[in-house]
Amino acid sequence: MDHPSSTAQRTTVAIVGAGMAGLIAARELRREDIEVLVLESAPRVGGRMTAETSELGSRVDLGGQWVGHGHHRFEALAAELGTTVYPMHTPRRPVILYEGRALSAIRPATVVANLALLAFEVKTKVREPRGWTTLTVDEWIRKFPSATARRLLEVIAAVATTADLDRISMRAFAAMTRYQGGISTMLATRGGAQDALIVEGAGTLTERLAAELAPRVLLNTPVTSIDYDERGATVRSPSVLVRADKVIVCVPPPPLLGAVTFEPALPPRLARLQHEMYMGSVYKAMAVYREPFWRGRAEAEHMLLDEPGAAVFDTSPPDGPGHLCILVGGKEARTLDAMTPTARKRALLERLGAALHSAAILDPVGWHEKSWQLDEYVGGGYLALPDATTAAGIFPLPSDPLAETLYWAGTETAGEHAGYIEGAIESGERVARQVVAGLR
Ligand SMILES: Cc1cc2nc3c(=O)[nH]c(=O)nc-3n(C[C@H](O)[C@H](O)[C@H](O)COP(=O)(O)OP(=O)(O)OC[C@H]3O[C@@H](n4cnc5c(N)ncnc54)[C@H](O)[C@@H]3O)c2cc1C
């Protein structure tokens, strides 16, 4: 049904979602002189990427930020948009803290956890056990006799995947790691997925892309229905009705399928993703200090195993100020939602202050945080995950067009680096090529 106060517009390609994938698709199509209109439900662009300016003027990313090693599209885009990439400051390995003590790398529990990850890596590359289809990551971890090794694996898996570990199968975990370059690459800083950062903030890239496209990006425009057939599509939101030759949907299934009605209905293999996928849970905080004062005496990269389990990284830009990035993934991210901001900050910084022997850690100049599972537009992060009970939604998600009119992009549909910004860029470029070919 048409919304009574909506205005009608006509375009060649309507794009749903102004995250990285949607903005890249729009930019590629504009380069071919094709008219586009990007409809975005949120009052800002960027989706799972967003940067804020700190009290000291530096930029802090609350969403995607790291340029992974070999993420060439992302690196090229950062250079093209005039931003500065800098390498991560990182020790050889993080300090693992549990029950007030640092766990050494040769402690049996640490060795067991590392061997478990190594065996997992080999099996994902050589031959995946059949039992992984029904075994959850949580059940796999429970098999290890050492409680400390189990806890270490639990925190690593939760921060790496943002999944509820009893709600993701080993098969899905294995597929994810394959698409993301292997578990050791996913966990590594330099030379791995956390290789480099952008001084101006990765979120700046989506802001700059949108600025180039203005006024073709409509904010506060949630799409509610898409009617499509071989002749084109009608895309509706409360404020605008768009008639287009082609539509590109750049929204992951969990936030999309509950909010948008398709006519004709999507084929069952796509429609079922609404019930068989969920967005990961992730809390991210950035603590800002006048300088990275801890560096002279210690490194700040830590795995904190007491609840809530967290990973801490020193993401300070080259000329300061000091930035500490804290990530809590999976179920434990949601436990933070019930706390006050002050209690959250204390719970996360106190253990670090004790480890670095510094009360100053408890008192940052700035504290920026975001619980992505509470974001009403994207519904979580880092990515959409398949439920443990299903084979649907295991990477890569289907991206073949429907009725030669409805096209799909978004990081979850990427052929490589799915789940990352690189995957979002790849999918945006791929879908633009498909649409250009379709229009011809
Ligand atoms: C905390 C966090 C840390 C991360 N860290 C990294 C990292 O360091 N490096 C990395 O490479 N990746 C990282 N990621 C992942 C990365 O951010 C994502 O892969 C990428 O941003 C996804 O882009 P996208 O365009 O596919 O989807 P999104 O960014 O999700 O874009 C979808 C857009 O669609 C909009 N939308 C939803 N419903 C509708 C509707 N009905 N109508 C209109 N619009 C709608 C949403 O508001 C959103 O803007 C991280 C993610 C998070 C959350």
Side-chain angles (χ1 to χ4, degrees):
M1 203 181 84
D2 295 345
H3 299 279
S5 58
S6 61
T7 58
Q9 294 209 36
R10 155 106 215 133
T11 189
T12 310
V13 183
I15 298 174
V16 185
M20 180 58 95
L23 294 169
I24 288 290
R27 181 191 213 218
E28 294 298 307
L29 292 170
R30 285 302 302 139
R31 285 177 166 171
E32 298 287 327
D33 237 0
I34 294 168
E35 261 323 314
V36 301
L37 206 52
V38 186
L39 292 83
E40 166 57 51
S41 57
R44 62 166 181 88
V45 297
R48 284 170 271 176
M49 297 172 72
T50 183
E52 291 182 355
T53 302
S54 81
E55 293 67 9
L56 300 176
S58 56
R59 296 281 281 170
V60 288
D61 276 303
L62 292 179
Q65 65 177 3
W66 277 290
V67 186
H69 182 73
H71 292 194
H72 300 303
R73 295 176 184 88
F74 187 7
E75 213 176 305
L77 183 69
E80 204 184 320
L81 293 174
T83 58
T84 316
V85 175
Y86 64 98
M88 259 291 277
H89 175 90
T90 183
R92 268 191 57 217
R93 59 173 69 92
V95 175
I96 304 167
L97 277 186
Y98 195 28
E99 295 171 339
R101 298 210 338 257
L103 299 186
S104 91
I106 52 165
R107 191 185 152 135
T110 322
V111 173
V112 167
N114 283 331
L115 287 175
L117 291 172
L118 192 65
F120 171 75
E121 176 111 311
V122 171
K123 284 178 187 167
T124 59
K125 288 186 176 157
V126 180
R127 197 160 67 92
E128 213 176 285
R130 247 194 241 143
W132 280 11
T133 309
T134 50
L135 185 74
T136 66
V137 173
D138 184 60
E139 287 163 342
W140 174 71
I141 291 174
R142 301 277 138 248
K143 290 181 185 220
F144 294 94
S146 152
T148 306
R150 289 200 299 270
R151 182 60 188 155
L152 180 52
L153 287 169
E154 214 170 70
V155 176
I156 289 174
V159 173
T161 64
T162 67
D164 284 15
L165 301 182
D166 56 1
R167 223 186 140 185
I168 182 165
S169 69
M170 286 296 286
R171 183 180 164 199
F173 184 32
M176 179 196 293
T177 56
R178 271 195 298 273
Y179 273 88
Q180 300 194 342
I183 189 77
S184 39
T185 302
M186 279 166 77
L187 299 179
T189 42
R190 292 292 285 280
Q194 287 69 234
D195 192 50
L197 293 148
I198 296 176
V199 172
E200 296 80 359
T204 299
L205 303 189
T206 49
E207 290 166 16
R208 291 189 181 171
L209 286 171
E212 280 179 4
L213 289 163
R216 295 180 173 87
V217 181
L218 307 181
L219 300 179
N220 300 303
T221 309
V223 169
T224 52
S225 74
I226 302 175
D227 296 357
Y228 64 99
D229 61 24
E230 284 72 10
R231 287 162 300 158
T234 304
V235 180
R236 293 184 181 83
S237 85
S239 53
V240 68
L241 180 149
V242 179
R243 190 70 206 148
D245 298 330
K246 311 274 183 202
V247 181
I248 306 175
V249 178
C250 304
V251 183
L256 175 80
L257 296 170
V260 181
T261 312
F262 291 86
E263 181 57 46
L266 295 179
R269 76 193 152 82
L270 292 177
R272 62 190 284 208
L273 296 179
Q274 180 181 352
H275 307 290
E276 298 184 1
M277 293 196 86
Y278 63 102
M279 293 303 287
S281 297
V282 61
Y283 165 89
K284 182 171 179 181
M286 297 291 297
V288 181
Y289 303 86
R290 294 208 178 276
E291 55 192 5
F293 59 86
W294 51 85
R295 278 191 189 173
R297 47 197 151 99
E299 297 291 354
E301 197 170 307
H302 281 72
M303 292 291 301
L304 307 178
L305 301 194
D306 298 288
E307 287 194 27
V312 183
F313 301 91
D314 177 349
T315 55
S316 313
D319 300 318
H323 287 179
L324 288 183
C325 164
I326 303 170
L327 285 165
V328 181
K331 280 185 183 168
E332 288 172 36
R334 299 199 295 275
T335 63
L336 292 167
D337 295 342
M339 297 163 86
T340 63
T342 313
R344 263 196 305 267
K345 182 161 123 185
R346 178 166 286 276
L348 292 165
L349 291 183
E350 237 167 18
R351 288 171 285 170
L352 205 57
L356 294 172
H357 308 291
S358 164
I361 289 286
L362 295 177
D363 198 20
V365 183
W367 178 254
H368 300 254
E369 57 175 4
K370 186 163 172 69
S371 293
W372 281 89
Q373 58 278 7
L374 301 182
D375 185 289
E376 67 174 290
Y377 305 102
V378 298
Y382 318 126
L383 71 167
L385 298 153
D387 232 320
T389 51
T390 178
I394 291 185
F395 280 162
L397 290 194
S399 60
D400 41 317
L402 297 179
E404 292 170 34
T405 294
L406 191 52
Y407 292 73
W408 308 93
T411 190
E412 283 81 3
T413 68
E416 58 177 24
H417 304 300
Y420 289 118
I421 294 163
E422 177 76 4
I425 300 171
E426 189 231 81
S427 74
E429 290 175 353
R430 181 257 308 148
V431 83
R433 284 194 302 275
Q434 285 178 309
V435 168
V436 169
L439 285 169
R440 280 175 190 151

